Amino acid sequence: MRGLDIRYFVRRIWMFFLVIFIAASFNFLIPRLAPGNPIGAITSRMANASAGIENGQAMFEAYRKRFGLDEPMYVQYGKYMWNVIHLDFGQSLSAYPADVWDIIKPAVGWSVGLIGVSVMLTFALGITIGAALAWKGTPRIVRSLLPLTMIGGVLPYYLMGILLLYVFAFTARLLPMSGAADSSIPVEFDWPYVQTIASHAVLPALSIILTSLGTWALTMRGLIVNTVGEDYMLLADAKGLKKMRILWWYSVRNAIPPQVTHLAIALGYVVSGAILVEIVFSYPGLGYQLYQAIVNSDYTVIQGITLVLTLSVGFSVLIIDLIYPRLDPRVTYVAESSG
Amino acid sequence: MASNPAPNSTEPVLVVRDLSVTYRTPAGPVRAVNGVSFSLRPGERLGLVGESGSGKTTTALSLMRLLQTSAVIEGGQVLLGGVDLLQLSEEDMREARFAEIALIPQGAMNSLNPMMKVGEQLRDTIRAHRAGSNAKATADTDARIQRALESVELRATVVNSYPHELSGGMKQRVCIAMGILLNPKVIIADEPTSALDVVVQRQVMETLRKVQEALGAAVILVGHDMGLMAQFVDRIGVMYGGKLAEVGPVRGIIKDPLHPYAQLLIKSLPNLETKENFRGIPGLTPSLLNPPSGCMFHPRCPQAMPRCATDVPALVEIKTDRWVSCLLYEGSPS
Ligand SMILES: Nc1ncnc2c1ncn2[C@@H]1O[C@H](COP(=O)(O)OP(=O)(O)O)[C@@H](O)[C@H]1O
Ligand code: SF4
Ligand SMILES: [Mg+2]
C-alpha cells in the first residue's frame, strides 16, 4: 500500500497490543490495590448476609476459592491475563454463575450499533453543515437556519435524552420509552424485528447526534474557512471550476483529514459519554451494563466492560492511524530505521 | 485558432481601460489600482514591474475577476477580444477563465491541491469547460494533457504524482501546462518563479517563453526582477502606487527611462560591468489609505516641482509607443 511501510504496520499493531496489555494490567491491579480488597469486600458482604445461615463461613471460603482469591498475586495475574486473551472474564458476582462475557457480548453489539451509527451520522452531517456554513454560495435562508443545529450543543447527552424521552415517548407516545427491542417480537432477521430495533434506537441516537452535531459543524466550518486563503483555492477559482467542485474537492477534501483524527478521539469519548444515554433509555449496551454492574458491585463485570471499552478506543485509533496515509497523501508512515 | 496569430494581429487582444480597484479595510478604503490602462497585442509579452504593494497582483487578478470579496472593482473595462470581462455574468466569466485568459499563479509551491493527483487537477480544468463526458472526450482530454506536459518538458508519468512528490520547478511546470491546456489568448503569470532558485527560474522562464510562442498567446508577466524581465518581455509597464508611471518597449525603457521613478528603478539595478552595489530608492512607498496629493511620486521625486503636489499627471503618449505619467512631459509635443 502506498505510504504504508510494512514495518510500520507491524509496529503499529504491536503498539496496539502493548496498550491493551498495559490497560489489562491496570484493570487487574486497581481493584486489588483498593483498600480492603473489593473482591474480598463483596464476598465478606455475602458472608455477613449469610451469617445466620449454617456453613456461612464455608460458603465464603468456597467463594474465595471459586474466584481464585486465595492464590498468590502473581498466579492470579497470570491466570487473569491468560483468561483475558480468551475473552474469559470469569463469572459475574451478582448474576453468578453467568459468564461475564455472556453479559458483555450482546451489550457490545447494541453499543457498537447505536454509537457507531450515531457517530458516523454526526460526522457526515457535521461535515455537510459545516461546509454549508462556510460556503459563500449557500442561500441566505439556509444559512440562517443552520445555526439552529448548534442549539443541542448546550445540553449534555443525558439531559437531551431526558428531554427527547419526555416529548416523544412520554407525552407524544410516538416512540418506545426504553430498551433496544420489543421482547414480544421474535429475534429474527425480518421486517418487524428491524423495525422494533430502529424505533428503539431513534431517541438514544438523536440525543447523541443533536448534542454533538454543533461542535462537528463548527470545527468543519473553521477548517474550511482556513482553506479560503490557500494558494490552491485561488488557482481552483482561476481554472474556472464549478463552485461545487471547488467546495467538495478542494475545500472539504483538505479539511477532512484533521476531522478524521477528531473522529478517533470522538469515538472514544462518545463511548464513555453515551453511558448516561444508555442509562436514561435503559438501552442494554455497555454503558447500561456497566451501570448495573456498579450498582451491584459486580467487579468482574466492571473489569470486563472497562477492558472492552479500552479495546474499542484502542482499536478505532489503530484503524484511523492505518488509513490516515490514504486520506492525506502527504503523510507517509515509514518505520524509522533507528527504531 | 488561437495557436496561429490572426491576420489582423495588430488589433490588440486585450485592452484595459481606466481600471480602478479598492480594498475595503477596517482602516478605510485602499485604492490599490487607480486608473490603469494598457493594451496587449496577440503574442505580445508585457511585463508589470514595481515595488511590492504597487498594485501588480491586484491588477493581474482583477483582469480575471479573482479578487477577494473585500475588493471592489470601481470602474474601467477589461476588453478581451472586444468583450468586457467586467460585464460578464458569473457563469460566463467562469467559462472564460483558462479558456480565454489563464493564470500561472504566484505561489508555485502551494498552488496545487495537495490532496489530488496532478493528472486529476489537469483533467478537472478541461472538464470544467466542456459539457458531457463520453469515451471520446476522455481520450481527447488525456491526449491534451500529454501534449501539454510534453511541451513543458515533464514526463507523462507526473499525472500519477501528488504535488508534494514534485520539486518546486516541476510544480511550476505543471501550472504552466495547466495554463495552456485550453489554448487561452492571454496568460497572466504573477511572479511565476519567485519561489524558485535562480537556475530553475531561468529554466522555467525559458519553458514559459517556448510554450507561449508555440501557442501565440499574449503574456502579462508580473515581477520585480528587472533583469529577468528584460530578457523575457517585449514591453514594460512600471507601476507606482496603483498607477502606471510609464509604459513602453523594454529596450527604450532600459536605455532611456523617462519617468523619474523609472529612472531611479533602472539606475538601482546592479550593474555587472561597474560592479556597483544595488541601491534602493530613497523614501517610503506611498500609503494607499492616505495617498499623496497631486503626483503619487512627488514626496520621493528628485525632480519634483511645486505643481507636482497639486496636479495629477495623466498617462500620455509622448513619443511613439512611449507612455509616461509625469508633469515634466505634459504639454510636450507627441
Ligand atoms: N486583501 C487585501 N486587503 C487590503 N488591502 C490589500 C489586500 N491585498 C492587497 N492590498 C493592498 O493593495 C495594494 C496592492 O497590493 P498588491 O496588488 O498585492 O501589490 P503587488 O503585487 O504589486 O505587491 C497594497 O498596498 C496592499 O497593501
Ligand atoms: S509629476 Fe512631478 S513628482 Fe511626479 S514624477 Fe513627474 S516630476 Fe516627479
Ligand atoms: Mg504581488
Side-chain angles (χ1 to χ4, degrees), chain B residues 57 106 190-191:
Chain B
T57 297
Q106 183 161 15
D190 187 0
E191 310 212 18

Side-chain angles (χ1 to χ4, degrees), chain A residues 129 132-133 138-152 213 217:
Chain A
I129 292 172
L133 280 174
T138 306
R140 195 164 299 170
I141 306 166
V142 178
R143 191 193 290 263
S144 62
L145 287 176
L146 290 175
L148 287 179
T149 60
M150 260 147 252
I151 291 175
L213 192 58

Side-chain angles (χ1 to χ4, degrees), chain B residues 12 75 111 113 121 132 156 161 167 190 197 219 226 228 231 238 246 253 255 282 286 313 317 320 325 333:
Chain B
S111 284
N113 182 351
Q121 300 187 50
S161 305
S167 70
D190 187 0
D197 68 61
V219 167
M226 269 292 235
L228 203 68
Q231 292 182 13
V238 178
E246 179 164 358
I253 288 194
K255 241 194 272 161
E317 189 174 24
T320 317
S325 160

Side-chain angles (χ1 to χ4, degrees), chain A residues 155-162 207-209 211-212 266 269-270 272-274 276-277:
Chain A
L155 293 180
Y157 288 132
Y158 65 93
L159 269 186
M160 177 61 86
I162 291 171
S207 29
I208 294 172
I209 294 172
T211 42
S212 51
Y269 177 75
V270 168
S272 53
L276 290 168
V277 172

